[in-house]
Amino acid sequence: MRYVIVGSGPAGLSAIESIREVDRDNEVLLVTAEKYVGYSKPLITYLLGKMTEKSKMFYRTEEFLKENDVSILPETKITGLATEDKLLFAENGEKIEYDKLLIATGGRPFISEIEGLKGQDGIFTFTTWEDEEKVENYIKENKIEDAIVLGGGLIGLKTTEALMKLGLKVTIIELSDRILSVTFDRKASEIITRALKKEGCEVITGDTVVRVKGKKRISKITLKSGKEINTQLLIIAIGVKPNVEFLEDSGIDINRGIVVNEKMETSVNDVYAAGDCTEFLDLIDGQRKTIAIWPVAVSQGKVAGYNMVGKDSKYPGGIPMNSVELAGVPTVSVGHTNLIEENGFEVLTFENKDTYKKIVLKDNKIVGAILVNNIDRAGIYTGLILQRIDVSSFKNKLLDENFGFVYLPREFRKMMLEGDVKVWLE
Amino acid sequence: MKRILVREEYCIGCKLCEINCVAAQVGSSNLIKIYRYVPELPEPNLIVEEDEYTTFAIQCRNCDDPMCLKACITGAMHRDSFTGAIRVDKERCVGCWMCVMACPIGVIKRTNDGKKAASKCELCVDRGTPACVENCPNEALVLIEVGE
Amino acid sequence: MAKTRTPPEFILERDDYKCIRCLVCVRVCSYGANFYDEKENRVYTENSKCVGCHFCEAVCPTEAITVKRNKFDIKPSAHWTSEELFDVIKQAETGGILLTSMGNDKPQFNYFDRLVLNASQVTNPSIDPLREPMEIRTYLGKKDAYLEIFEENESQVILKTEVSQQLKLEIPVMFSAMSYGSISLNAIKSLARAAETMGTFFNTGEGGLHKDLKRFGKNMIVQCASGRFGVDIDYLNSGAAVEIKIGQGAKPGIGGHLPGEKVTEAISETRMIPVGTDAISPAPHHDIYSIEDLRQLIFAIKEATRYKKPVGVKIAAVHNVAAIASGIVRAGADFVTIDGIRGGTGATPKITRDHVGIPIEFAIAVVDQRLREEGIRHMASVVVAGGIRKSADVVKAIALGADAVYIGTTALVSLGCHLCQRCYLGKCNWGIATQDPKLVKRLNPEIGARRASNLLKAWTLEIKEILGGMGINAIESLRGNREVLRGVGLNERELQILGIKAAGEAW
Ligand SMILES: Cc1cc2nc3c(=O)[nH]c(=O)nc-3n(C[C@H](O)[C@H](O)[C@H](O)COP(=O)(O)OP(=O)(O)OC[C@H]3O[C@@H](n4cnc5c(N)ncnc54)[C@H](O)[C@@H]3O)c2cc1C
Ligand code: SF4
Ligand code: SF4
């Protein structure tokens, strides 16, 4: 029996953990396109901004891989899959056999149509350690002093923060009318925008880059509005998409991401998928979608791993959530937060200077929460959302400064305090 | 694996647990000196919640399948292989607050010493008995063994 | 008229150097005596609110607090103490009866401390309780005058008499009647569990039976008092014995009164009265005006319990105690409980507590004597209460003639009580004499049971030690054995009534 895992992100690694929990004997082979194995992608912005060090990039260390007796094929990109022969094909010509396969190839950056992109140095996406190394070197070698970040989503903003930490003057360009328009509501976006501006960042909204100019190296961008900005560094961070192209003729059902069931099985026997490359249920709206976040990748990987070794396990679905501290403002966003009262949602808000809290409810159940500045005990809301608790008896306390378990129904509290806390995984 | 059992029917809301947690974090049992000479005291890693007749202290439940572990992007949050306690390596932590967001009990905090790291109850594994358990005058907090 | 400014009874001293402003004391005081001044960042105490319960002192993590008595020195007088002075002032202001709690606190009523015990030397060997068996198990109930035995053959003997129901006590100490209402459920639970662990009994008092206590039936004596609260057939049958309460040492001759505000839902249920109504126990049982009436009730209860449970009668020790006890025994009681002047209570008029009744020591002696003289001592056990604080008191009480003792105040002290005598306010910081859920929580019955059991364990060891020292190996041989007692500083008449010799007098 040979378990093959493609992709060394959190989904792949957590699958390895659960496989090894049950099966210590059979071979586990980890195949990854990456040079570094076990590092954390979200840390690349921290590394660039010198908020962490190279030695701390690995959230799972070499020892982990050794302890779990994992064979590794690094820098091996898979380009094809023949499910009837249970064979993987690598770019370097290698053929890899498997008995059980997990696809955990994550996502890759999405790049929009921009004139003149090709052949220019100084233009980067920013999702891997290699990207980070390239950007860091580029800045150092060329003594770069300013940068354009295209895309005001979380990755764009985290990258912005890192660049600012290096002393660069950064301009964010965002197509929608505000930054973080997916994660946060208008109010929260405003607070974060204000904080970023205060630190010297320029924010341009409702605009995008249409043309890049430069001789071998970028020197100027043109916006849709016609505005031109000189720059030697452009980071494109307008989103990621599931990394599934290599599966095109494999016969595996793919929509936007790989279609999986609650056991993380794909449409083909013995092939599982987990993490950013999949699409599965959003617990709140019941839609199938890719929720490209770390905890979902870990949970799905865990479930996939268990099922691969024959231990029954189910993933009920996930919800979007993110937390980040930007320009000194800690924030949390859980669930769906841009829903409005007109559509039958109830919205509760609390505001005090730069502290902002918002709870979105539907039928007395929380479906989303935003916390800005004061994020203490945020997880309680997450728990309430995931467990779909009826909050009508304590709704008026939800935004209290001291909101806590004391206001929750005694039975629920007892369960959480005395029983085993199980929220995501059954 | 150990867990602190919270028995709200016996909690008297005195908050001695909070006070002694602070002391344990500073690493001394001399409360007078700590409160006198330590300029920036850490926040307690447990919270006493109160509402009318209900009071109880609440801290990390040391879950079987911890949300914080799944959410941590650095590996800072880990299960101590010896004691089974969930601990956070403050040196690795970058303060992304994923765990703060994920913990359904809401008991992971941001440190207040400017370090940008998460802080949580680690069952006083380096100390022996948890300070809160040891100092609760009414045994509202007791250390129990759970799981295998 | 303006209120006289009376000085506080206690002064709380807070060492500001040691105070870490954790505010534990502020949070815990149910009388609101401690407060925090945010501007000054200092904790203060309003001494006049302090009742001297020492709870804050016990929980202050830095030992910053000392609660001291305020020595209010008036010009020395042989008749006037500050207590007398303030009692007059209070009455001048209120025009009401002075209320108090716990037992009589006056020095002149204590005789146990003036009795000393004997020990073996040379002529009779003492016994080491750690090496040799020592029996302190006690049976309460009527001891049959003779036993009919049928001898089948040499090796087989059959007992023909049906022996009267007995209560088996592993230690001759029981927890006295304290009702749910006067003390908290957690306090009762603590004592119930301790009684279970130690093989003895607790007493429900006159408050009926809370459902949580049903499971302790085997170790429970249920009381039937003048208010008949919570009394029905199930109640009478739920314990191991029934005690009819006529009077109690802290308030002989008067009834009881639980104010309506203390009659919570749970209490209304156990007492079987509506929520919020005053629970009034009349001074007499309105169906008992003579020993004959009492006999009727005793037998009514025996009938109701199918003669399966011993029935006792509790009275306060008053002047005519010996004759009354004799009547009670003749009326058919299986045990007589006598409560002396130092007996505790949840609330009583000060005048009654301090001036009515006699010390238990005398009561034991005269009752035991009278019953012996009348040849009916075996017909009932004598249980005594009111001022038993330590195992030495137990030994002395038994030597004077008691079969077993009840402890009330001492049991509460083992649970945390610091004798502030404010039970009647219902704000007991130790969670004992209160029904406030926030305060009741403070007494964790697991801890309470452990502490009360520990007390009895310690007493068991001490009693055995003392018995061994006297060369006695069974508590049976101590009962009424007044030869082991001598009096110190007692006058001849007192010695005579107690039936003991003075220290220095030989056999
Ligand atoms: C800069 C940045 C910051 C982020 N911050 C956060 C955050 O704060 N919180 C959060 O929840 N999420 C964050 N995310 C998202 C999070 O990193 C992802 O959700 C998570 O990494 C997904 O895990 P995964 O295992 O599914 O995929 P990935 O981590 O993307 O791993 C995919 C793996 O597959 C390998 N691979 C891909 N294709 C092939 C192939 N064809 N052959 C072989 N190997 C292949 C890749 O090399 C990689 O090792 C961030 C992402 C980035 C890029
Ligand atoms: S020390 Fe114990 S009783 Fe006091 S608040 Fe903490 S848990 Fe409650
Ligand atoms: S704040 Fe620290 S411990 Fe918590 S998830 Fe982030 S890196 Fe991990």
Side-chain angles (χ1 to χ4, degrees):
Chain A
M1 173 71 85
R2 184 191 224 190
Y3 304 104
V4 175
I5 318 287
V6 182
S8 58
L13 295 188
S14 88
I16 290 176
E17 250 171 85
S18 42
I19 289 173
R20 277 298 180 233
E21 211 182 287
V22 180
D23 180 350
R24 302 234 28 118
D25 306 321
N26 287 302
E27 188 189 354
V28 173
L29 175 66
L30 175 61
V31 185
T32 177
E34 216 100 38
K35 180 162 73 182
Y36 304 113
V37 179
Y39 83 89
S40 166
K41 276 188 179 180
L43 283 181
I44 59 174
T45 58
Y46 293 87
L47 184 65
L48 180 66
K50 302 204 186 321
M51 294 172 273
T52 192
E53 302 153 27
K54 276 191 180 149
S55 64
K56 295 178 188 160
M57 286 296 283
F58 296 91
Y59 83 101
R60 288 292 180 269
T61 54
E62 238 172 276
E63 278 136 61
F64 166 84
L65 297 165
K66 231 179 258 159
E67 264 168 35
N68 282 296
D69 193 16
V70 181
S71 328
I72 305 163
L73 282 181
E75 295 180 87
T76 307
K77 187 170 176 188
I78 299 298
T79 47
L81 164 63
T83 56
E84 59 285 3
D85 305 323
K86 294 197 165 181
L87 262 187
L88 287 164
F89 304 99
E91 201 173 36
N92 59 13
E94 221 170 310
K95 286 184 208 146
I96 301 158
E97 289 178 33
Y98 69 84
D99 293 300
K100 302 262 181 188
L101 172 67
L102 174 68
I103 302 166
T105 47
R108 67 141 156 268
F110 184 76
I111 299 172
S112 55
E113 292 285 312
I114 297 172
E115 211 184 304
L117 269 187
K118 287 261 151 57
Q120 300 276 24
D121 204 0
I123 301 172
F124 304 92
T125 55
F126 204 72
T127 59
T128 65
W129 196 344
E130 279 183 68
D131 293 338
E132 190 278 337
E133 283 177 334
K134 282 186 212 152
V135 172
E136 193 181 330
N137 288 337
Y138 179 82
I139 291 172
K140 222 182 284 166
E141 276 161 22
N142 301 297
K143 304 207 167 55
I144 302 296
E145 284 172 357
D146 50 48
I148 302 283
V149 172
L150 177 60
L154 276 169
I155 297 183
L157 286 180
K158 284 201 203 180
T159 311
T160 301
E161 171 141 64
L163 293 170
M164 280 163 54
K165 285 247 152 80
L166 294 180
L168 271 70
K169 166 123 191 27
V170 186
T171 304
I172 299 169
I173 294 162
E174 165 61 48
L175 183 60
S176 97
D177 64 348
R178 59 189 171 90
I179 57 168
L180 295 171
S181 59
V182 181
T183 323
F184 287 106
D185 69 350
R186 188 165 298 280
K187 179 80 211 169
S189 295
E190 267 167 28
I191 297 173
I192 298 164
T193 307
R194 214 158 41 224
L196 282 168
K197 283 186 173 166
K198 209 166 142 199
E199 302 218 327
C201 172
E202 198 170 328
V203 180
I204 298 173
T205 54
D207 215 340
T208 187
V209 179
V210 290
R211 197 174 311 119
V212 192
K213 273 200 192 137
K215 290 197 191 99
K216 289 198 85 178
R217 192 200 299 161
I218 180 175
S219 60
K220 187 191 281 178
I221 58 157
T222 309
L223 301 184
K224 196 173 175 196
S225 57
K227 187 174 173 174
E228 295 195 329
I229 306 172
N230 291 332
T231 188
Q232 294 179 47
L233 173 58
L234 169 65
I235 307 252
I236 301 177
I238 54 172
V240 287
K241 57 177 182 182
N243 216 344
V244 291
E245 283 80 354
F246 71 103
L247 297 173
E248 245 159 41
D249 50 8
S250 67
I252 292 175
D253 271 1
I254 297 171
N255 208 0
R256 256 199 57 139
I258 303 169
V259 177
V260 287
N261 63 16
E262 56 188 3
K263 295 172 88 173
M264 297 293 119
E265 294 165 333
T266 66
S267 58
V268 172
N269 263 352
D270 295 331
V271 180
Y272 297 75
D276 286 8
C277 61
T278 67
E279 58 170 54
F280 192 59
L281 281 189
D282 178 324
L283 280 177
I284 293 170
D285 59 16
Q287 305 274 316
R288 293 190 145 265
K289 59 178 83 151
T290 299
I291 302 177
I293 56 167
W294 185 280
V296 167
V298 174
S299 296
Q300 292 190 348
K302 185 165 180 174
V303 170
Y306 280 141
N307 286 310
M308 287 167 79
V309 288
K311 179 172 164 180
D312 199 38
S313 177
K314 280 178 186 153
Y315 177 68
I319 58 169
M321 60 171 97
N322 250 300
S323 81
V324 62
E325 184 165 326
L326 288 168
V329 180
T331 62
V332 161
S333 162
V334 188
H336 294 202
T337 58
N338 269 316
L339 302 164
I340 50 169
E341 281 167 341
E342 283 77 85
N343 298 335
F345 293 94
E346 193 178 349
V347 178
L348 311 174
T349 56
F350 168 86
E351 263 184 83
N352 182 14
K353 286 187 210 144
D354 274 351
T355 299
Y356 176 58
K357 292 186 187 184
K358 167 173 166 174
I359 309 273
V360 185
L361 303 135
K362 171 99 188 181
D363 301 331
N364 286 320
K365 291 182 181 150
I366 307 181
V367 296
I370 291 178
L371 302 176
V372 179
N373 256 314
N374 183 356
I375 61 164
D376 294 345
R377 312 208 73 188
I380 299 181
Y381 301 116
T382 312
L384 292 173
I385 296 175
L386 284 168
Q387 305 193 64
R388 283 168 267 189
I389 301 296
D390 187 314
V391 301
S392 33
S393 67
F394 53 92
K395 206 191 282 177
N396 58 336
K397 299 285 183 192
L398 282 171
L399 291 173
D400 250 35
E401 201 186 340
N402 299 320
F403 175 68
F405 278 84
V406 76
Y407 299 116
L408 305 192
R410 188 144 198 267
E411 284 318 301
F412 178 68
R413 175 165 78 231
K414 282 244 151 196
M415 184 190 89
M416 294 296 271
L417 292 186
E418 289 173 12
D420 286 336
V421 181
K422 278 188 192 155
V423 178
W424 267 335
L425 239 154
E426 285 315 306
Chain B
M1 200 176 66
K2 299 252 189 321
R3 181 175 299 154
I4 295 173
L5 181 65
V6 178
R7 305 194 292 177
E8 64 174 68
E9 61 274 34
Y10 302 137
C11 170
I12 69 174
C14 63
K15 303 199 183 181
L16 281 171
C17 48
E18 288 190 357
I19 295 155
N20 284 285
C21 176
V22 170
Q25 289 182 61
V26 176
S28 162
S29 57
N30 189 328
L31 286 170
I32 302 172
K33 293 232 162 98
I34 291 168
Y35 275 80
R36 232 157 222 280
Y37 302 119
V38 181
E40 200 64 53
L41 284 171
E43 297 260 337
N45 279 328
L46 83 175
I47 305 160
V48 175
E49 290 195 30
E50 279 179 275
D51 182 43
E52 289 181 21
Y53 291 126
T54 314
T55 59
F56 52 86
I58 178 169
Q59 70 286 79
C60 171
R61 308 274 82 233
N62 239 14
C63 311
D64 284 344
D65 188 21
M67 309 269 283
C68 60
L69 275 194
K70 289 186 194 162
C72 178
I73 59 164
T74 61
M77 200 61 83
H78 63 284
R79 197 187 280 283
D80 188 278
S81 52
F82 187 60
T83 60
I86 307 293
R87 308 191 67 176
V88 48
D89 178 345
K90 292 208 169 91
E91 293 306 312
R92 296 183 78 90
C93 176
V94 293
C96 71
W97 317 136
M98 287 290 284
C99 51
V100 173
M101 169 184 72
C103 169
I105 309 292
V107 285
I108 302 178
K109 291 184 340 273
R110 299 174 286 151
T111 47
N112 60 346
D113 59 0
K115 213 178 190 177
K116 241 193 136 188
S119 169
K120 71 181 283 295
C121 163
E122 299 184 346
L123 289 177
C124 284
V125 288
D126 298 330
R127 183 181 183 275
T129 325
C132 55
V133 171
E134 200 172 283
N135 289 286
C136 173
N138 208 28
E139 294 177 21
L141 298 174
V142 281
L143 194 62
I144 53 163
E145 191 71 44
V146 287
E148 310 98 77
Chain C
M1 200 191 81
K3 245 188 136 206
T4 320
R5 205 194 75 81
T6 49
E9 237 187 298
F10 292 92
I11 306 264
L12 188 146
E13 283 177 3
R14 184 177 283 101
D15 183 338
D16 193 51
Y17 180 86
K18 287 180 168 177
C19 174
I20 58 173
R21 277 76 175 152
C22 70
L23 310 190
V24 170
C25 55
V26 176
R27 279 190 288 273
V28 297
C29 182
S30 63
Y31 299 95
N34 300 314
F35 64 94
Y36 176 60
D37 186 316
E38 209 169 333
K39 246 198 224 133
E40 286 183 47
N41 181 29
R42 237 186 127 131
V43 185
Y44 288 101
T45 297
E46 216 175 308
N47 286 323
S48 58
K49 288 188 176 164
C50 173
V51 302
C53 80
H54 295 263
F55 191 77
C56 60
E57 191 179 80
V59 291
C60 169
T62 60
E63 298 176 354
I65 295 175
T66 320
V67 177
K68 288 189 173 165
R69 259 179 55 211
N70 188 12
K71 257 186 53 212
F72 183 70
D73 285 328
I74 54 172
K75 187 163 173 85
S77 154
H79 319 293
W80 287 94
T81 58
S82 55
E83 181 183 339
E84 308 285 0
L85 176 90
F86 290 121
D87 281 354
V88 171
I89 292 176
K90 262 182 241 163
Q91 292 196 305
E93 263 161 16
T94 62
I97 292 180
L98 294 169
L99 278 185
T100 187
S101 302
M102 298 321 282
N104 185 304
D105 54 8
K106 302 297 176 293
Q108 64 270 31
F109 299 115
N110 178 355
Y111 280 81
F112 279 136
D113 288 347
R114 280 176 273 173
L115 304 182
V116 287
L117 291 160
N118 196 25
S120 304
Q121 298 295 306
V122 186
T123 54
N124 52 347
S126 46
I127 299 169
D128 181 349
L130 294 177
R131 289 161 202 258
E132 285 172 65
M134 182 71 74
E135 192 59 74
I136 62 164
R137 183 180 292 163
T138 301
Y139 289 92
L140 296 187
K142 177 179 176 192
K143 307 292 181 297
D144 300 285
Y146 58 89
L147 297 176
E148 228 181 300
I149 293 169
F150 178 73
E151 219 167 315
E152 216 161 53
N153 51 46
E154 245 171 58
S155 61
Q156 207 163 10
V157 175
I158 294 169
L159 188 59
K160 279 177 84 181
T161 319
E162 204 179 311
V163 179
S164 309
Q165 282 298 321
Q166 304 286 316
L167 290 181
K168 182 167 116 185
L169 277 59
E170 295 301 335
I171 171 174
V173 180
M174 303 188 288
F175 300 123
S176 66
M178 288 179 279
S179 68
Y180 173 42
S182 74
I183 61 173
S184 67
L185 189 58
N186 279 353
I188 305 179
K189 279 185 184 167
S190 303
L191 300 180
R193 285 193 207 188
E196 187 179 43
T197 319
M198 297 306 295
T200 183
F201 294 83
F202 75 103
N203 188 315
T204 57
E206 54 181 303
L209 184 62
H210 189 277
K211 58 182 184 323
D212 289 4
L213 299 169
K214 289 214 172 92
R215 72 173 192 83
F216 295 104
K218 191 163 96 340
N219 295 90
M220 176 167 82
I221 298 174
V222 295
Q223 207 175 48
C224 169
S226 63
R228 305 281 155 90
F229 296 119
V231 178
D232 62 11
I233 187 89
D234 294 337
Y235 173 73
L236 292 173
N237 278 292
S238 59
V242 183
E243 186 178 75
I244 299 168
K245 180 200 161 184
I246 302 292
Q248 93 186 67
K251 40 181 174 180
I254 61 171
H257 181 188
L258 188 70
E261 57 264 28
K262 288 195 190 167
V263 180
T264 60
E265 195 139 334
I267 288 177
S268 94
E269 209 174 292
T270 56
R271 294 217 170 193
M272 303 181 182
I273 53 171
V275 177
T277 48
D278 289 13
I280 296 173
S281 303
H285 285 245
H286 286 306
D287 51 359
I288 303 178
Y289 286 92
S290 64
I291 290 291
E292 289 70 26
D293 290 346
L294 178 62
R295 183 179 172 83
Q296 276 198 8
L297 182 59
I298 292 173
F299 279 89
I301 291 174
K302 285 190 178 238
E303 210 45 66
T305 55
R306 310 230 158 268
Y307 294 87
K308 290 261 162 55
K309 324 248 176 203
V311 176
V313 177
K314 175 177 180 177
I315 52 166
V318 289
H319 302 341
N320 207 16
V321 64
I324 299 165
S326 160
I328 290 171
V329 174
R330 288 166 193 283
D334 299 286
F335 63 94
V336 189
T337 302
I338 304 165
D339 196 9
I341 192 170
R342 303 197 301 281
T345 181
T348 174
K350 199 169 177 221
I351 182 170
T352 310
R353 186 195 75 171
D354 289 356
H355 302 280
V356 181
I358 64 170
I360 191 65
E361 295 86 339
F362 291 103
I364 304 171
V366 297
V367 168
D368 181 58
Q369 193 65 29
R370 174 82 174 243
L371 297 182
R372 278 173 199 277
E373 282 167 12
E374 294 182 358
I376 56 170
R377 179 65 181 86
H378 65 282
M379 281 172 56
S381 298
V382 176
V383 182
V384 304
I388 311 286
R389 303 150 299 172
K390 52 195 171 198
S391 58
D393 294 350
V394 179
V395 173
K396 292 170 188 177
I398 292 175
L400 277 173
D403 287 275
V405 307
Y406 263 135
I407 54 170
T409 306
T410 312
L412 300 189
V413 171
S414 80
L415 302 183
C417 165
H418 274 52
L419 299 170
C420 71
Q421 308 189 4
R422 298 301 168 94
C423 319
Y424 65 93
L425 294 177
K427 291 209 231 174
C428 175
N429 268 319
W430 294 90
I432 299 169
T434 177
Q435 302 305 326
D436 178 341
K438 218 171 170 164
L439 299 172
V440 171
K441 270 176 137 193
R442 294 190 187 175
L443 180 57
N444 175 344
E446 288 166 25
I447 303 177
R450 191 158 67 225
R451 297 175 65 95
S453 304
N454 275 343
L455 180 76
L456 295 191
K457 272 181 205 152
W459 285 14
T460 305
L461 296 175
E462 287 179 344
I463 292 171
K464 288 183 172 178
E465 199 69 40
I466 286 286
L467 288 181
M470 296 193 288
I472 295 175
N473 66 3
I475 199 122
E476 290 274 309
S477 318
L478 179 71
R479 189 168 319 117
N481 184 352
R482 299 191 200 170
E483 266 311 338
V484 304
L485 294 170
R486 289 293 182 273
V488 177
L490 302 179
N491 64 37
E492 197 140 343
R493 191 83 185 110
E494 286 169 336
L495 288 170
Q496 194 190 355
I497 296 168
L498 289 170
I500 61 172
K501 300 194 174 87
E505 273 185 83
W507 302 105

